[in-house]
Amino acid sequence: MSDIDFKQALADAGIPITEDGLRKAWEKEVAAQGSKMSNTSAYSPFWRVITALVTKPVMWLLSFLSDTILPNFFVKTARDKWLDLLAWAVDIERKGATKAQGMLLFTRDIAGGVLQLPAGIQVQSAPINGHVYQLVTTQAVTFADGVLQLEVPAQAQDVGSGYNLAPGYYAILPVPIPGIVQVVNDDGWLIAPGADPEPDDQLRLRVRNQFSAVNQWHTDAVYRAMISAFPGVRPDGVYFLHGAPRGPGSANAYVLFEADVPAATYLEQINAHIRDQGNHGHGDDLLVMVMPHTQHALHLTLWPRSVLSTEQRAKLQDEVALFIRAAFRESGTGDYQPTLTYPQSRFSFSRLGEELHQQFAGIDSLHFDNTDIVSELTIPRISSLQVVLP
């Protein structure tokens, strides 16, 4: 229901909602009270002052009622603190922001000798649409003699889901470290995903789901409520597979994460909450898993506009690649906003090409060698990506 609908509801109740309607109602009421005033011309200073003193405050109240009070009475249209109150009524609280935590793989030049690394080392990504994401190591570590590589715990410099980048994105040491030749976030690097403050649309979904979850049976809604309470899990990102995949009473819950998939330890926490702490139905065997993925080799031929310089062409090539990777959920939506891949859907490369044209004015033409990806209960991932300039 939109704001216009609320105003119409007031009008249907016989309440004037325009200045002209209020003026006529005011004049009618004045006449009903036996007023003998005859100079009601719009040019009468006295009458204009009296009308304004009555009409303006009423318009303020009506606007506040239709634009703020009435919409915030309903879960569908409530926002911010108003939605928090409606969520509280069904025993739900808005999830707060968290910092991404994970492991960075440091590689040194020689395995001999001992090398100490202090805490507080900064490792950053290449710019993604102008944004640079940075991790900071959280503890001092020591390379023992004969050890060439070492994993070091780190966390994001700030809160937010934008730091949940795919493997390989964090690879830049802004301050070089003697003896270290490479640093990278490897596969499975993310221990706990970063999260933004829960937006209204996601909280609204959890509140709606709660109406189905408040019952004595462990339905999908009950399990969705438990799983989506964890940071980094969207309520619309939990998919169920019924049909007893592991025997009678069993079902799988697949979680789709916005960007990089966290390490197995994070899923173990969710499964422990459900399976080991008694938060499941009698006889239920629910196992929470990461959404299975399919691998795809992407190839794009890109024709830049002839006016672009060599540097501009190279920059365009890199940014187009990052945009495509964002569509396949390798970075958050805070940088680029392409149409994302989803399970149980068709991913259209023609739509992706259209969005690339809209995002980058330097593209003259482009062609994907790939055909549309039709996914079942899987999420498409990139195995390789080539952006070729002829």
Side-chain angles (χ1 to χ4, degrees), residues 291-352:
M291 178 66 66
H293 59 263
T294 56
Q295 295 288 343
H296 302 270
L298 308 184
H299 188 279
L300 170 66
T301 304
L302 182 69
W303 288 269
R305 295 191 181 277
S306 58
V307 295
L308 298 186
S309 65
T310 302
E311 292 182 357
Q312 290 173 326
R313 289 162 64 94
K315 181 180 179 181
L316 176 64
Q317 186 178 15
D318 292 340
E319 291 180 344
V320 165
L322 289 173
F323 188 93
I324 296 171
R325 291 185 179 277
F328 282 76
R329 299 176 177 270
E330 290 194 3
S331 61
T333 57
D335 304 297
Y336 293 114
Q337 289 82 39
T339 299
L340 299 176
T341 55
Y342 281 96
Q344 300 175 331
S345 65
R346 174 186 293 271
F347 182 76
S348 169
F349 281 95
S350 62
R351 181 180 294 112
L352 178 58

Short mmCIF file of all heavy atoms in Angstrom, two decimals, residues 291-352:
data_model
loop_
_atom_site.label_atom_id
_atom_site.label_comp_id
_atom_site.label_asym_id
_atom_site.label_seq_id
_atom_site.Cartn_x
_atom_site.Cartn_y
_atom_site.Cartn_z
N MET A 291 24.87 -23.44 -0.50
CA MET A 291 24.24 -23.70 -1.79
C MET A 291 25.27 -24.30 -2.77
O MET A 291 26.33 -23.72 -2.97
CB MET A 291 23.70 -22.39 -2.37
CG MET A 291 23.06 -22.52 -3.73
SD MET A 291 21.57 -23.52 -3.72
CE MET A 291 20.48 -22.50 -2.72
N PRO A 292 24.98 -25.48 -3.34
CA PRO A 292 25.93 -26.05 -4.31
C PRO A 292 26.13 -25.11 -5.50
O PRO A 292 25.24 -24.33 -5.85
CB PRO A 292 25.23 -27.35 -4.75
CG PRO A 292 24.24 -27.65 -3.69
CD PRO A 292 23.80 -26.33 -3.14
N HIS A 293 27.31 -25.18 -6.09
CA HIS A 293 27.60 -24.26 -7.20
C HIS A 293 27.96 -25.04 -8.46
O HIS A 293 28.38 -26.20 -8.41
CB HIS A 293 28.74 -23.31 -6.84
CG HIS A 293 30.02 -24.00 -6.49
ND1 HIS A 293 30.41 -24.26 -5.19
CD2 HIS A 293 31.01 -24.49 -7.27
CE1 HIS A 293 31.56 -24.87 -5.20
NE2 HIS A 293 31.96 -25.03 -6.44
N THR A 294 27.77 -24.39 -9.57
CA THR A 294 28.21 -24.90 -10.86
C THR A 294 29.28 -23.96 -11.39
O THR A 294 29.24 -22.75 -11.15
CB THR A 294 27.04 -24.98 -11.86
OG1 THR A 294 26.42 -23.68 -11.98
CG2 THR A 294 26.00 -25.99 -11.39
N GLN A 295 30.25 -24.50 -12.11
CA GLN A 295 31.38 -23.72 -12.62
C GLN A 295 31.17 -23.39 -14.10
O GLN A 295 30.74 -24.25 -14.87
CB GLN A 295 32.69 -24.50 -12.43
CG GLN A 295 33.05 -24.74 -10.98
CD GLN A 295 33.53 -23.48 -10.27
OE1 GLN A 295 33.89 -22.49 -10.91
NE2 GLN A 295 33.51 -23.50 -8.96
N HIS A 296 31.51 -22.15 -14.46
CA HIS A 296 31.29 -21.70 -15.83
C HIS A 296 32.49 -20.89 -16.30
O HIS A 296 32.97 -20.00 -15.59
CB HIS A 296 30.02 -20.86 -15.93
CG HIS A 296 28.79 -21.58 -15.47
ND1 HIS A 296 28.00 -22.33 -16.31
CD2 HIS A 296 28.24 -21.70 -14.22
CE1 HIS A 296 27.00 -22.85 -15.62
NE2 HIS A 296 27.13 -22.49 -14.35
N ALA A 297 32.95 -21.19 -17.52
CA ALA A 297 34.02 -20.43 -18.16
C ALA A 297 33.37 -19.35 -19.02
O ALA A 297 32.63 -19.65 -19.95
CB ALA A 297 34.90 -21.35 -19.00
N LEU A 298 33.65 -18.09 -18.71
CA LEU A 298 33.01 -16.97 -19.41
C LEU A 298 34.01 -16.34 -20.38
O LEU A 298 35.19 -16.17 -20.05
CB LEU A 298 32.52 -15.92 -18.41
CG LEU A 298 31.63 -16.43 -17.26
CD1 LEU A 298 31.16 -15.25 -16.43
CD2 LEU A 298 30.47 -17.24 -17.79
N HIS A 299 33.50 -15.98 -21.55
CA HIS A 299 34.34 -15.33 -22.55
C HIS A 299 33.56 -14.18 -23.17
O HIS A 299 32.47 -14.36 -23.71
CB HIS A 299 34.76 -16.32 -23.64
CG HIS A 299 35.78 -15.76 -24.60
ND1 HIS A 299 35.44 -14.94 -25.66
CD2 HIS A 299 37.14 -15.90 -24.65
CE1 HIS A 299 36.53 -14.60 -26.32
NE2 HIS A 299 37.58 -15.18 -25.73
N LEU A 300 34.14 -12.98 -23.07
CA LEU A 300 33.51 -11.77 -23.60
C LEU A 300 34.47 -11.08 -24.55
O LEU A 300 35.63 -10.83 -24.21
CB LEU A 300 33.13 -10.82 -22.46
CG LEU A 300 32.68 -9.41 -22.87
CD1 LEU A 300 31.36 -9.46 -23.65
CD2 LEU A 300 32.56 -8.51 -21.65
N THR A 301 33.98 -10.78 -25.75
CA THR A 301 34.74 -9.94 -26.68
C THR A 301 34.19 -8.53 -26.57
O THR A 301 32.98 -8.31 -26.70
CB THR A 301 34.60 -10.45 -28.12
OG1 THR A 301 35.02 -11.82 -28.17
CG2 THR A 301 35.47 -9.63 -29.06
N LEU A 302 35.07 -7.58 -26.33
CA LEU A 302 34.67 -6.20 -26.04
C LEU A 302 35.29 -5.25 -27.05
O LEU A 302 36.50 -5.28 -27.28
CB LEU A 302 35.12 -5.84 -24.62
CG LEU A 302 34.75 -4.47 -24.08
CD1 LEU A 302 33.25 -4.37 -23.85
CD2 LEU A 302 35.52 -4.19 -22.79
N TRP A 303 34.45 -4.41 -27.67
CA TRP A 303 34.92 -3.39 -28.60
C TRP A 303 34.77 -2.02 -27.95
O TRP A 303 33.65 -1.49 -27.84
CB TRP A 303 34.13 -3.43 -29.90
CG TRP A 303 34.43 -4.60 -30.78
CD1 TRP A 303 35.36 -4.68 -31.77
CD2 TRP A 303 33.78 -5.88 -30.74
NE1 TRP A 303 35.34 -5.92 -32.35
CE2 TRP A 303 34.38 -6.69 -31.75
CE3 TRP A 303 32.75 -6.44 -29.97
CZ2 TRP A 303 33.98 -7.99 -31.99
CZ3 TRP A 303 32.37 -7.74 -30.21
CH2 TRP A 303 32.98 -8.50 -31.21
N PRO A 304 35.88 -1.41 -27.48
CA PRO A 304 35.79 -0.08 -26.89
C PRO A 304 35.56 0.98 -27.98
O PRO A 304 35.81 0.74 -29.17
CB PRO A 304 37.15 0.12 -26.21
CG PRO A 304 37.79 -1.23 -26.20
CD PRO A 304 37.22 -1.97 -27.37
N ARG A 305 35.13 2.14 -27.56
CA ARG A 305 34.98 3.26 -28.50
C ARG A 305 36.36 3.69 -28.98
O ARG A 305 37.35 3.66 -28.24
CB ARG A 305 34.24 4.42 -27.84
CG ARG A 305 32.80 4.08 -27.46
CD ARG A 305 32.02 5.31 -27.05
NE ARG A 305 30.66 4.96 -26.66
CZ ARG A 305 29.66 4.80 -27.51
NH1 ARG A 305 29.87 4.95 -28.82
NH2 ARG A 305 28.44 4.48 -27.08
N SER A 306 36.41 4.12 -30.21
CA SER A 306 37.69 4.42 -30.85
C SER A 306 38.41 5.60 -30.21
O SER A 306 39.62 5.75 -30.36
CB SER A 306 37.47 4.70 -32.34
OG SER A 306 36.56 5.77 -32.53
N VAL A 307 37.67 6.46 -29.50
CA VAL A 307 38.29 7.66 -28.91
C VAL A 307 39.06 7.35 -27.64
O VAL A 307 39.79 8.21 -27.13
CB VAL A 307 37.21 8.73 -28.61
CG1 VAL A 307 36.56 9.21 -29.90
CG2 VAL A 307 36.16 8.18 -27.66
N LEU A 308 38.95 6.14 -27.10
CA LEU A 308 39.62 5.81 -25.85
C LEU A 308 41.11 5.60 -26.08
O LEU A 308 41.52 5.00 -27.08
CB LEU A 308 39.01 4.55 -25.22
CG LEU A 308 37.54 4.61 -24.82
CD1 LEU A 308 37.15 3.33 -24.09
CD2 LEU A 308 37.25 5.81 -23.94
N SER A 309 41.90 6.06 -25.12
CA SER A 309 43.34 5.86 -25.18
C SER A 309 43.68 4.43 -24.76
O SER A 309 42.81 3.67 -24.30
CB SER A 309 44.05 6.85 -24.26
OG SER A 309 43.71 6.60 -22.91
N THR A 310 44.94 4.08 -24.88
CA THR A 310 45.37 2.73 -24.49
C THR A 310 45.13 2.49 -23.01
O THR A 310 44.66 1.42 -22.60
CB THR A 310 46.86 2.54 -24.82
OG1 THR A 310 47.07 2.76 -26.22
CG2 THR A 310 47.32 1.14 -24.45
N GLU A 311 45.42 3.49 -22.18
CA GLU A 311 45.20 3.35 -20.74
C GLU A 311 43.71 3.22 -20.43
O GLU A 311 43.31 2.43 -19.56
CB GLU A 311 45.80 4.54 -19.99
CG GLU A 311 47.32 4.59 -20.02
CD GLU A 311 47.86 5.76 -19.22
OE1 GLU A 311 47.03 6.55 -18.71
OE2 GLU A 311 49.09 5.88 -19.11
N GLN A 312 42.89 4.01 -21.10
CA GLN A 312 41.44 3.95 -20.87
C GLN A 312 40.87 2.60 -21.31
O GLN A 312 39.97 2.06 -20.66
CB GLN A 312 40.75 5.08 -21.61
CG GLN A 312 41.01 6.46 -21.02
CD GLN A 312 40.45 7.59 -21.88
OE1 GLN A 312 40.41 7.49 -23.11
NE2 GLN A 312 40.01 8.65 -21.22
N ARG A 313 41.40 2.05 -22.37
CA ARG A 313 40.94 0.74 -22.84
C ARG A 313 41.29 -0.35 -21.82
O ARG A 313 40.47 -1.23 -21.51
CB ARG A 313 41.57 0.42 -24.20
CG ARG A 313 41.04 1.26 -25.34
CD ARG A 313 41.99 1.23 -26.54
NE ARG A 313 42.12 -0.11 -27.09
CZ ARG A 313 41.38 -0.57 -28.11
NH1 ARG A 313 40.46 0.20 -28.67
NH2 ARG A 313 41.56 -1.80 -28.58
N ALA A 314 42.49 -0.28 -21.27
CA ALA A 314 42.90 -1.27 -20.27
C ALA A 314 42.07 -1.14 -19.00
O ALA A 314 41.66 -2.15 -18.39
CB ALA A 314 44.38 -1.11 -19.95
N LYS A 315 41.80 0.09 -18.59
CA LYS A 315 40.98 0.32 -17.40
C LYS A 315 39.56 -0.19 -17.62
O LYS A 315 38.96 -0.83 -16.74
CB LYS A 315 40.95 1.80 -17.05
CG LYS A 315 40.15 2.12 -15.80
CD LYS A 315 40.15 3.62 -15.50
CE LYS A 315 39.32 3.92 -14.26
NZ LYS A 315 39.29 5.38 -13.97
N LEU A 316 39.01 0.07 -18.81
CA LEU A 316 37.67 -0.42 -19.13
C LEU A 316 37.63 -1.94 -19.09
O LEU A 316 36.67 -2.54 -18.56
CB LEU A 316 37.26 0.09 -20.52
CG LEU A 316 35.91 -0.41 -21.05
CD1 LEU A 316 34.77 0.09 -20.18
CD2 LEU A 316 35.71 0.04 -22.51
N GLN A 317 38.64 -2.57 -19.61
CA GLN A 317 38.71 -4.04 -19.62
C GLN A 317 38.68 -4.59 -18.20
O GLN A 317 37.95 -5.55 -17.91
CB GLN A 317 39.99 -4.47 -20.34
CG GLN A 317 40.12 -5.98 -20.56
CD GLN A 317 41.39 -6.32 -21.32
OE1 GLN A 317 42.31 -5.50 -21.44
NE2 GLN A 317 41.45 -7.53 -21.83
N ASP A 318 39.44 -3.97 -17.29
CA ASP A 318 39.48 -4.43 -15.90
C ASP A 318 38.14 -4.19 -15.21
O ASP A 318 37.65 -5.05 -14.47
CB ASP A 318 40.59 -3.71 -15.14
CG ASP A 318 41.98 -4.10 -15.63
OD1 ASP A 318 42.10 -5.18 -16.25
OD2 ASP A 318 42.92 -3.32 -15.39
N GLU A 319 37.55 -3.03 -15.42
CA GLU A 319 36.29 -2.70 -14.73
C GLU A 319 35.13 -3.56 -15.23
O GLU A 319 34.26 -3.94 -14.46
CB GLU A 319 35.98 -1.22 -14.90
CG GLU A 319 36.95 -0.31 -14.14
CD GLU A 319 36.62 1.16 -14.33
OE1 GLU A 319 35.86 1.48 -15.27
OE2 GLU A 319 37.11 1.98 -13.53
N VAL A 320 35.12 -3.86 -16.52
CA VAL A 320 34.09 -4.75 -17.05
C VAL A 320 34.20 -6.13 -16.42
O VAL A 320 33.19 -6.75 -16.06
CB VAL A 320 34.19 -4.83 -18.59
CG1 VAL A 320 33.38 -6.01 -19.13
CG2 VAL A 320 33.71 -3.53 -19.22
N ALA A 321 35.43 -6.60 -16.25
CA ALA A 321 35.63 -7.91 -15.61
C ALA A 321 35.12 -7.90 -14.18
O ALA A 321 34.46 -8.86 -13.73
CB ALA A 321 37.11 -8.30 -15.65
N LEU A 322 35.37 -6.82 -13.44
CA LEU A 322 34.88 -6.73 -12.06
C LEU A 322 33.36 -6.66 -12.02
O LEU A 322 32.73 -7.23 -11.12
CB LEU A 322 35.48 -5.49 -11.38
CG LEU A 322 36.98 -5.56 -11.05
CD1 LEU A 322 37.47 -4.22 -10.55
CD2 LEU A 322 37.24 -6.65 -10.02
N PHE A 323 32.75 -5.99 -12.99
CA PHE A 323 31.29 -5.90 -13.05
C PHE A 323 30.69 -7.29 -13.27
O PHE A 323 29.69 -7.66 -12.63
CB PHE A 323 30.87 -4.95 -14.18
CG PHE A 323 29.40 -4.63 -14.20
CD1 PHE A 323 28.91 -3.52 -13.54
CD2 PHE A 323 28.51 -5.44 -14.89
CE1 PHE A 323 27.56 -3.22 -13.56
CE2 PHE A 323 27.15 -5.16 -14.92
CZ PHE A 323 26.68 -4.04 -14.26
N ILE A 324 31.28 -8.05 -14.19
CA ILE A 324 30.79 -9.41 -14.45
C ILE A 324 30.96 -10.28 -13.21
O ILE A 324 30.05 -11.05 -12.85
CB ILE A 324 31.53 -10.02 -15.65
CG1 ILE A 324 31.23 -9.21 -16.92
CG2 ILE A 324 31.15 -11.48 -15.85
CD1 ILE A 324 32.09 -9.61 -18.11
N ARG A 325 32.09 -10.16 -12.55
CA ARG A 325 32.31 -10.94 -11.33
C ARG A 325 31.31 -10.57 -10.25
O ARG A 325 30.88 -11.42 -9.46
CB ARG A 325 33.75 -10.77 -10.84
CG ARG A 325 34.79 -11.40 -11.76
CD ARG A 325 36.19 -11.32 -11.19
NE ARG A 325 37.17 -11.95 -12.07
CZ ARG A 325 37.42 -13.25 -12.12
NH1 ARG A 325 36.75 -14.07 -11.31
NH2 ARG A 325 38.33 -13.73 -12.94
N ALA A 326 30.93 -9.30 -10.19
CA ALA A 326 29.92 -8.87 -9.22
C ALA A 326 28.58 -9.54 -9.49
O ALA A 326 27.86 -9.90 -8.57
CB ALA A 326 29.78 -7.35 -9.24
N ALA A 327 28.24 -9.71 -10.79
CA ALA A 327 27.00 -10.39 -11.14
C ALA A 327 27.01 -11.84 -10.66
O ALA A 327 25.95 -12.41 -10.34
CB ALA A 327 26.76 -10.34 -12.64
N PHE A 328 28.20 -12.43 -10.58
CA PHE A 328 28.33 -13.81 -10.11
C PHE A 328 28.70 -13.86 -8.63
O PHE A 328 29.29 -14.82 -8.16
CB PHE A 328 29.36 -14.56 -10.96
CG PHE A 328 28.82 -15.01 -12.29
CD1 PHE A 328 28.66 -14.10 -13.33
CD2 PHE A 328 28.44 -16.33 -12.50
CE1 PHE A 328 28.15 -14.49 -14.56
CE2 PHE A 328 27.93 -16.73 -13.73
CZ PHE A 328 27.78 -15.82 -14.76
N ARG A 329 28.40 -12.78 -7.91
CA ARG A 329 28.48 -12.72 -6.45
C ARG A 329 29.89 -12.86 -5.90
O ARG A 329 30.09 -13.46 -4.84
CB ARG A 329 27.57 -13.79 -5.82
CG ARG A 329 26.10 -13.62 -6.16
CD ARG A 329 25.26 -14.75 -5.60
NE ARG A 329 23.84 -14.52 -5.87
CZ ARG A 329 23.00 -13.87 -5.08
NH1 ARG A 329 23.45 -13.37 -3.95
NH2 ARG A 329 21.74 -13.71 -5.42
N GLU A 330 30.86 -12.29 -6.59
CA GLU A 330 32.23 -12.32 -6.05
C GLU A 330 32.53 -11.08 -5.23
O GLU A 330 33.57 -10.99 -4.59
CB GLU A 330 33.25 -12.47 -7.19
CG GLU A 330 33.22 -13.84 -7.84
CD GLU A 330 34.43 -14.11 -8.70
OE1 GLU A 330 35.33 -13.24 -8.75
OE2 GLU A 330 34.48 -15.18 -9.33
N SER A 331 31.63 -10.12 -5.24
CA SER A 331 31.76 -8.93 -4.41
C SER A 331 30.36 -8.47 -4.03
O SER A 331 29.36 -8.95 -4.58
CB SER A 331 32.52 -7.81 -5.13
OG SER A 331 31.85 -7.42 -6.31
N GLY A 332 30.28 -7.53 -3.09
CA GLY A 332 28.98 -7.07 -2.64
C GLY A 332 28.32 -6.12 -3.61
O GLY A 332 28.93 -5.66 -4.58
N THR A 333 27.06 -5.80 -3.32
CA THR A 333 26.29 -4.92 -4.21
C THR A 333 26.54 -3.45 -3.92
O THR A 333 25.91 -2.60 -4.54
CB THR A 333 24.79 -5.22 -4.07
OG1 THR A 333 24.41 -5.08 -2.68
CG2 THR A 333 24.48 -6.64 -4.51
N GLY A 334 27.44 -3.14 -2.99
CA GLY A 334 27.72 -1.75 -2.71
C GLY A 334 28.59 -1.09 -3.77
O GLY A 334 28.73 0.13 -3.80
N ASP A 335 29.21 -1.89 -4.65
CA ASP A 335 30.09 -1.33 -5.67
C ASP A 335 29.39 -1.28 -7.03
O ASP A 335 29.27 -0.23 -7.64
CB ASP A 335 31.36 -2.17 -5.76
CG ASP A 335 32.07 -2.26 -4.42
OD1 ASP A 335 32.50 -1.22 -3.92
OD2 ASP A 335 32.16 -3.37 -3.86
N TYR A 336 28.98 -2.42 -7.51
CA TYR A 336 28.19 -2.50 -8.74
C TYR A 336 26.85 -3.16 -8.41
O TYR A 336 26.76 -3.96 -7.47
CB TYR A 336 28.92 -3.32 -9.81
CG TYR A 336 30.19 -2.68 -10.33
CD1 TYR A 336 31.43 -3.27 -10.10
CD2 TYR A 336 30.14 -1.50 -11.06
CE1 TYR A 336 32.60 -2.70 -10.58
CE2 TYR A 336 31.31 -0.92 -11.55
CZ TYR A 336 32.53 -1.52 -11.31
OH TYR A 336 33.68 -0.95 -11.79
N GLN A 337 25.83 -2.84 -9.18
CA GLN A 337 24.50 -3.41 -8.96
C GLN A 337 23.98 -4.12 -10.22
O GLN A 337 22.93 -3.76 -10.76
CB GLN A 337 23.50 -2.34 -8.53
CG GLN A 337 23.70 -1.81 -7.13
CD GLN A 337 24.76 -0.73 -7.05
OE1 GLN A 337 24.85 0.11 -7.94
NE2 GLN A 337 25.54 -0.75 -5.99
N PRO A 338 24.68 -5.13 -10.69
CA PRO A 338 24.14 -5.90 -11.82
C PRO A 338 23.05 -6.85 -11.35
O PRO A 338 22.86 -7.05 -10.15
CB PRO A 338 25.36 -6.69 -12.31
CG PRO A 338 26.16 -6.91 -11.07
CD PRO A 338 25.98 -5.67 -10.23
N THR A 339 22.33 -7.42 -12.31
CA THR A 339 21.40 -8.49 -11.97
C THR A 339 22.20 -9.70 -11.52
O THR A 339 23.09 -10.17 -12.22
CB THR A 339 20.53 -8.85 -13.19
OG1 THR A 339 19.77 -7.70 -13.57
CG2 THR A 339 19.58 -9.99 -12.85
N LEU A 340 21.89 -10.22 -10.33
CA LEU A 340 22.69 -11.29 -9.73
C LEU A 340 22.22 -12.66 -10.19
O LEU A 340 21.09 -12.83 -10.64
CB LEU A 340 22.62 -11.20 -8.20
CG LEU A 340 23.14 -9.92 -7.56
CD1 LEU A 340 22.91 -9.96 -6.05
CD2 LEU A 340 24.62 -9.72 -7.86
N THR A 341 23.10 -13.63 -10.04
CA THR A 341 22.73 -15.02 -10.25
C THR A 341 21.88 -15.50 -9.08
O THR A 341 22.07 -15.06 -7.94
CB THR A 341 23.99 -15.90 -10.35
OG1 THR A 341 24.79 -15.69 -9.17
CG2 THR A 341 24.80 -15.54 -11.58
N TYR A 342 20.94 -16.39 -9.36
CA TYR A 342 20.08 -16.96 -8.32
C TYR A 342 19.87 -18.44 -8.60
O TYR A 342 19.91 -18.86 -9.76
CB TYR A 342 18.72 -16.26 -8.29
CG TYR A 342 18.72 -14.93 -7.58
CD1 TYR A 342 18.86 -13.74 -8.29
CD2 TYR A 342 18.58 -14.87 -6.19
CE1 TYR A 342 18.86 -12.53 -7.64
CE2 TYR A 342 18.58 -13.65 -5.53
CZ TYR A 342 18.72 -12.48 -6.26
OH TYR A 342 18.71 -11.28 -5.62
N PRO A 343 19.61 -19.21 -7.56
CA PRO A 343 19.20 -20.60 -7.79
C PRO A 343 17.79 -20.62 -8.41
O PRO A 343 17.03 -19.65 -8.30
CB PRO A 343 19.18 -21.21 -6.38
CG PRO A 343 19.95 -20.26 -5.52
CD PRO A 343 19.77 -18.91 -6.13
N GLN A 344 17.47 -21.72 -9.05
CA GLN A 344 16.14 -21.95 -9.61
C GLN A 344 15.71 -20.78 -10.51
O GLN A 344 14.60 -20.28 -10.41
CB GLN A 344 15.12 -22.18 -8.49
CG GLN A 344 15.44 -23.38 -7.63
CD GLN A 344 14.52 -23.54 -6.44
OE1 GLN A 344 13.98 -22.56 -5.93
NE2 GLN A 344 14.32 -24.77 -6.00
N SER A 345 16.62 -20.34 -11.37
CA SER A 345 16.31 -19.21 -12.24
C SER A 345 17.20 -19.27 -13.49
O SER A 345 18.11 -20.09 -13.59
CB SER A 345 16.51 -17.88 -11.51
OG SER A 345 17.87 -17.69 -11.19
N ARG A 346 16.93 -18.36 -14.41
CA ARG A 346 17.73 -18.23 -15.63
C ARG A 346 18.57 -16.96 -15.52
O ARG A 346 18.05 -15.88 -15.24
CB ARG A 346 16.81 -18.15 -16.85
CG ARG A 346 17.56 -17.86 -18.17
CD ARG A 346 16.58 -17.65 -19.32
NE ARG A 346 15.87 -18.88 -19.63
CZ ARG A 346 16.29 -19.79 -20.50
NH1 ARG A 346 17.44 -19.62 -21.15
NH2 ARG A 346 15.59 -20.88 -20.72
N PHE A 347 19.88 -17.12 -15.76
CA PHE A 347 20.75 -15.95 -15.81
C PHE A 347 20.95 -15.57 -17.28
O PHE A 347 21.46 -16.36 -18.08
CB PHE A 347 22.11 -16.24 -15.15
CG PHE A 347 23.02 -15.05 -15.15
CD1 PHE A 347 22.83 -14.01 -14.26
CD2 PHE A 347 24.05 -14.95 -16.07
CE1 PHE A 347 23.66 -12.90 -14.26
CE2 PHE A 347 24.89 -13.86 -16.09
CZ PHE A 347 24.69 -12.82 -15.18
N SER A 348 20.56 -14.35 -17.60
CA SER A 348 20.56 -13.89 -18.98
C SER A 348 21.82 -13.09 -19.29
O SER A 348 22.07 -12.05 -18.68
CB SER A 348 19.31 -13.04 -19.24
OG SER A 348 19.41 -12.38 -20.48
N PHE A 349 22.59 -13.55 -20.27
CA PHE A 349 23.77 -12.81 -20.69
C PHE A 349 23.39 -11.60 -21.54
O PHE A 349 24.14 -10.62 -21.60
CB PHE A 349 24.74 -13.72 -21.45
CG PHE A 349 25.55 -14.59 -20.54
CD1 PHE A 349 25.15 -15.89 -20.25
CD2 PHE A 349 26.71 -14.11 -19.95
CE1 PHE A 349 25.89 -16.70 -19.42
CE2 PHE A 349 27.46 -14.91 -19.10
CZ PHE A 349 27.05 -16.21 -18.82
N SER A 350 22.24 -11.64 -22.20
CA SER A 350 21.81 -10.47 -22.95
C SER A 350 21.48 -9.32 -22.00
O SER A 350 21.78 -8.16 -22.28
CB SER A 350 20.60 -10.82 -23.82
OG SER A 350 19.49 -11.22 -23.03
N ARG A 351 20.87 -9.64 -20.86
CA ARG A 351 20.60 -8.60 -19.86
C ARG A 351 21.90 -8.08 -19.27
O ARG A 351 22.05 -6.87 -19.04
CB ARG A 351 19.70 -9.14 -18.75
CG ARG A 351 19.36 -8.08 -17.68
CD ARG A 351 18.47 -8.62 -16.58
NE ARG A 351 17.16 -8.97 -17.10
CZ ARG A 351 16.70 -10.21 -17.17
NH1 ARG A 351 17.47 -11.22 -16.78
NH2 ARG A 351 15.50 -10.45 -17.65
N LEU A 352 22.85 -8.98 -19.01
CA LEU A 352 24.15 -8.55 -18.49
C LEU A 352 24.83 -7.62 -19.48
O LEU A 352 25.43 -6.61 -19.09
CB LEU A 352 25.02 -9.77 -18.20
CG LEU A 352 26.44 -9.49 -17.69
CD1 LEU A 352 26.41 -8.68 -16.41
CD2 LEU A 352 27.21 -10.80 -17.47
#
